[in-house]
Amino acid sequence: MKQVFLQSQQFSNPPTPPTGPTGFKSVPNSPLPAALGPPSARAAATASDHFAAADVGNLIGNIAELDSLLGVRANPLARERRDSGMDSPTLLRYSPQAGGIEAAPQDCTGECQLGENNGSCGGIRRGTKFRWSSFARSHRPSIQVREMQIAAMSIAQMQVLKNAAFLELNKVMQEFCPPNKSLLSWFLPKFLRRAKPPIPPSKTAVFGVPLTTVQMRCGQPLPPCIVHMMRQLRQSGVSAHGIFRRTGGKARVSSLKAEIDAQPDMRDFSQCQPYDLADLVKMYLRELPECLVTTKLSPTLMDLFTFVPSDQLRLLALQCAMLLLPDENREVLQSLLYFLKDFAENADTTQMNASNLAVCLAPSLFYFPHETPTGSGLSPRRFRRATGVPDPRDLQDHKAATACVTFMITHCHQLFTVSEELYRQAAFSAVELAEPPALDSLAPVDASQRRHCFAFVDNHAQMVGRECSEGAAKWTPFSSRCGVETFCKKLDDKCPLRLWKAVMNVEADPTRILNRIVQDKASWDPDVLNSELVEMIDDNSDVTRFTLTSPPAQPAREQCVLRAWRSAGSHSHCLYTASVRLPPTPLTLPTLILNEDWLIEACGPGNSRVTLLSRVDLRGHSLEWYNRTWGHSIARQLVHLNKSFAD
């Protein structure tokens, strides 16, 4: 088959904004608002701990999807693969007990509105921040593979790797599978009966809600109540005989499901039977509008375990497949596999090894194309057996799916890393690695051995003045929810990330708002666990380290930032933020903040207009994820800021 070579796409550093007046003082010695207090008080203040399938008959849509997946860049993997490199790939092996440090934007539908009263606007309400400590202990990546995790890849690296993974996985399929099993069959038109659309779930529903909607609501792909349920099940279920095989009480399970749908913030499951909780976990996965492994990848993974003979090739192909999953599906699958790995390690007690667990979970994770759906409006994975003799293809699919889940549970610590061969041939440039600049480049030391950030402040002040004064015609509206208007625009610096803007009126004066953002961010922002003052540069600038919340089984992330705040009188303040490179904290991955700038202006007695400009790479996410999600993320941030003044 003719190879597809992709056009290279690189981006460069953003140009320095042109000089010009901004209306804000950039003098570092401008007075600090009285509410912020002296540097000594600030240094002592540390905040407290906290993926429906598209119409497959639509050829135009499939071609557009192919362009989105492949139109990234030419990858060295497009070169002919060496036979020796394919027959004996180098595997990343490490022990889970190893020590050491280890699209165009689219608005959501009505079902993912940011509700103000039910907790869905922030998903996780203030004060309920997650630390899944069991994952930190049992599934901690070693320092040798930390940089090889998918979660550590920048957005530019993800674009390169998704293209490379598609080509690599397609080569394996072409070499071992029948000709009709090529991945290019993903993009051929299929004429299927159009299913009746399901009834949209309620705004508070947990079951049957797409993972993308959960991400928009909660800021993470798993609902908080499911996280707490899995945490409780991990504590009480590892000693339950036949867990996930034995069923719970049907009435209890139905009642608990209805209670969770009515109260999505439910956390206490200590009085529930582990078999009931295990049934609910399976039910949650089974009722997803699209299966976790997705309709496209399910047949591919089953073919891998039907036709590919080598475990090494299977592992390499699965590592590529994980890169092709939507970001939300990949994170949930990683959490689930690590979760099941803990049960498999207690098989002496539960009698549920990886193979037994796979038999119970595979039907909830995979799409089986040779089964017949029951009724209309149901999920495409909810099927009934055809009468008479079972279809041999159906039996073969279930056998392959079970073998695939068994393999994934056993090798879960290697699945979500980039293979050494893939990483080496990608040959990332320094720009694609997207490392933060050194502190000395943004805040150099002068002849008197004192740091200053005059150029940093001037550049950000000019950018804020320019972007906030531009008319709405230059911004693309994204959403308007909960009093927050969100916009985005694509800049001309070739960086794939868009610049996002969120605007909201907050019921507080500008000085109080600046004080809350600078000093107490961890107390109101659900995405921040804690903060640490690293260095005070002057009265109006500092270097601070923030530890961020992460979904279960994901490494903790941190932000090391240079911050500078300036005032234009008492009625207008600005806060400029960008990442700097510092020695990493153990067990964390650094994120990249290109800019996170706040403009706070008085708009009446006790009211302020807050504008947030944001361009952030959290690592481990694709461009489609940012275009779909980031506008909701910064809107949720402003809503929580506003709520902090009402409490």
Side-chain angles (χ1 to χ4, degrees):
M1 180 177 292
K2 185 178 179 180
Q3 294 292 336
V4 181
F5 293 91
L6 307 177
Q7 182 65 32
S8 174
Q9 183 184 35
Q10 299 180 348
F11 62 90
S12 58
N13 292 324
T16 301
T19 59
T22 64
F24 292 96
K25 299 178 182 179
S26 59
V27 180
N29 293 323
S30 58
L32 182 69
L36 290 178
S40 58
R42 292 199 58 251
T46 301
S48 59
D49 285 344
H50 334 12
F51 176 211
D55 182 6
V56 293
N58 191 338
L59 179 58
I60 297 178
N62 285 329
I63 292 175
E65 189 172 356
L66 175 60
D67 292 338
S68 174
L69 180 62
L70 294 180
V72 180
R73 59 165 280 170
N75 193 293
L77 281 176
R79 300 191 301 263
E80 183 177 358
R81 178 180 49 185
R82 298 187 302 270
D83 293 337
S84 59
M86 184 62 211
D87 294 338
S88 57
T90 303
L91 303 182
L92 298 176
R93 301 190 180 276
Y94 57 96
S95 168
Q97 289 81 20
I101 304 173
E102 355 195 347
Q106 53 183 340
D107 198 358
C108 65
T109 60
E111 59 191 317
C112 60
Q113 291 184 2
L114 302 176
E116 292 194 53
N117 299 324
N118 56 19
S120 63
C121 190
I124 309 170
R125 297 184 296 181
R126 291 196 305 116
T128 59
K129 305 183 182 184
F130 291 120
R131 283 186 184 274
W132 201 330
S133 57
S134 60
F135 282 127
R137 293 193 304 267
S138 304
H139 305 290
R140 178 184 303 159
S142 64
I143 189 172
Q144 291 82 5
V145 298
R146 183 173 63 176
E147 296 182 356
M148 305 293 287
Q149 297 177 82
I150 296 177
M153 300 294 114
S154 70
I155 184 174
Q157 289 177 298
M158 291 293 292
Q159 288 184 301
V160 176
L161 289 171
K162 286 171 71 71
N163 173 45
F166 182 89
L167 297 176
E168 192 74 9
L169 182 57
N170 191 49
K171 288 180 181 180
V172 176
M173 300 293 291
Q174 286 181 323
E175 183 174 353
F176 294 97
C177 301
N180 63 332
K181 301 297 184 180
S182 166
L183 296 191
L184 296 181
S185 64
W186 288 5
F187 313 106
L188 297 179
K190 298 185 176 82
F191 301 95
L192 302 178
R193 180 181 300 175
R194 186 185 297 272
K196 182 179 178 180
I199 300 175
S202 67
K203 293 181 182 179
T204 62
V206 172
F207 292 82
V209 178
L211 296 178
T212 54
T213 302
V214 178
Q215 177 73 51
M216 295 171 187
R217 288 179 177 177
C218 306
Q220 64 174 18
L222 270 178
C225 58
I226 301 298
V227 174
H228 286 288
M229 184 189 303
M230 294 171 68
R231 176 191 294 170
Q232 177 62 36
L233 186 55
R234 188 183 183 278
Q235 294 175 0
S236 60
V238 290
S239 60
H241 184 273
I243 192 69
F244 289 105
R245 176 178 58 82
R246 293 177 56 182
T247 59
K250 185 176 181 179
R252 295 196 304 269
V253 172
S254 298
S255 175
L256 187 55
K257 176 189 175 185
E259 185 177 356
I260 291 173
D261 275 335
Q263 302 177 17
D265 292 330
M266 185 175 178
R267 302 179 189 87
D268 188 8
F269 298 93
S270 59
Q271 304 302 317
C272 300
Q273 296 289 333
Y275 302 104
D276 297 343
L277 298 181
D279 275 2
L280 283 170
V281 171
K282 291 190 295 183
M283 186 181 298
Y284 177 78
L285 297 170
R286 188 167 60 248
E287 293 188 3
L288 288 174
E290 185 180 21
C291 60
L292 190 60
V293 184
T294 75
T295 305
K296 286 185 176 180
L297 269 176
S298 291
T300 300
L301 298 190
M302 290 186 290
D303 290 338
L304 285 175
F305 283 80
T306 301
F307 301 105
V308 177
S310 167
D311 282 350
Q312 289 185 336
L313 288 176
R314 289 174 175 176
L315 178 58
L316 178 62
L318 281 173
Q319 289 176 323
C320 294
M322 295 304 104
L323 284 161
L324 299 179
L325 278 174
D327 294 0
E328 295 89 353
N329 296 54
R330 182 177 60 250
E331 290 182 3
V332 173
L333 181 60
Q334 184 174 3
S335 301
L336 179 66
L337 293 176
Y338 283 13
F339 175 70
L340 296 176
K341 177 72 171 180
D342 292 329
F343 288 90
E345 291 175 347
N346 289 273
D348 292 342
T349 302
T350 64
Q351 301 300 306
M352 295 296 290
N353 56 22
S355 178
N356 293 336
L357 291 168
V359 171
C360 299
L361 271 297
S364 300
L365 302 179
F366 279 77
Y367 162 70
F368 298 96
H370 300 123
E371 288 184 339
T372 307
T374 62
S376 59
L378 297 179
S379 171
R381 297 165 328 287
R382 299 180 63 184
F383 301 111
R384 61 172 171 83
R385 298 289 181 182
T387 58
V389 179
D391 189 339
R393 298 177 301 175
D394 181 24
L395 296 177
Q396 181 180 357
D397 286 348
H398 277 268
K399 180 180 178 181
T402 301
C404 181
V405 176
T406 303
F407 188 91
M408 290 195 295
I409 294 174
T410 305
H411 300 83
C412 63
H413 296 105
Q414 299 163 268
L415 285 184
F416 302 94
T417 60
V418 180
S419 68
E420 287 184 344
E421 179 185 3
L422 206 65
Y423 193 92
R424 181 178 62 254
Q425 295 188 34
F428 297 115
S429 67
V431 174
E432 290 165 340
L433 292 174
E435 293 291 339
L439 176 59
D440 289 342
S441 66
L442 296 184
V445 178
D446 58 20
S448 60
Q449 302 302 311
R450 296 181 59 186
R451 289 193 184 275
H452 62 82
C453 52
F454 304 145
F456 169 80
V457 170
D458 286 341
N459 290 339
H460 281 255
Q462 293 165 21
M463 190 272 289
V464 169
R466 180 178 65 250
E467 300 298 344
C468 292
S469 62
E470 283 184 345
K474 294 190 177 181
W475 291 87
T476 303
F478 179 77
S479 69
S480 180
R481 301 274 194 274
C482 297
V484 183
E485 293 181 295
T486 313
F487 310 85
C488 67
K489 66 184 298 186
K490 192 171 183 179
L491 301 183
D492 297 331
D493 56 5
K494 298 183 180 180
C495 174
L497 284 170
R498 287 174 166 84
L499 177 64
W500 293 85
K501 178 171 74 171
V503 182
M504 183 182 192
N505 288 337
V506 177
E507 297 179 356
D509 64 81
T511 301
R512 289 185 63 201
I513 296 174
L514 179 63
N515 176 32
R516 190 66 54 89
I517 298 172
V518 172
Q519 280 195 335
D520 304 322
K521 190 173 184 180
S523 67
W524 57 268
D525 191 341
D527 297 328
V528 177
L529 283 174
N530 56 65
S531 62
E532 173 194 357
L533 180 63
V534 177
E535 180 181 345
M536 198 72 192
I537 296 179
D538 54 43
D539 290 347
N540 299 323
S541 52
D542 64 19
V543 180
T544 303
R545 190 193 307 268
F546 295 98
T547 303
L548 309 181
T549 59
S550 295
Q554 294 294 306
R557 291 172 168 85
E558 70 174 13
Q559 296 175 342
C560 300
V561 296
L562 169 64
R563 305 186 301 174
W565 50 96
R566 298 294 183 263
S567 301
S570 60
H571 300 290
S572 184
H573 304 291
C574 276
L575 171 63
Y576 313 121
T577 308
S579 288
V580 292
R581 187 167 63 249
L582 295 176
T585 300
L587 313 181
T588 62
L589 291 172
T591 63
L592 176 64
I593 299 179
L594 296 176
N595 64 273
E596 184 179 274
D597 299 329
W598 300 76
L599 174 61
I600 311 166
E601 302 172 293
C603 62
N607 284 273
S608 302
R609 177 182 175 88
V610 179
T611 303
L612 172 59
L613 299 173
S614 178
R615 209 177 186 201
V616 178
D617 186 356
L618 292 179
R619 309 279 185 179
H621 295 296
S622 64
L623 177 62
E624 295 77 17
W625 184 89
Y626 288 102
N627 291 344
R628 182 176 62 242
T629 303
W630 197 246
H632 298 286
S633 178
I634 61 175
R636 188 171 57 252
Q637 190 175 1
L638 285 182
V639 168
H640 279 285
L641 174 63
N642 189 36
K643 284 184 177 181
S644 70
F645 293 100
D647 295 345

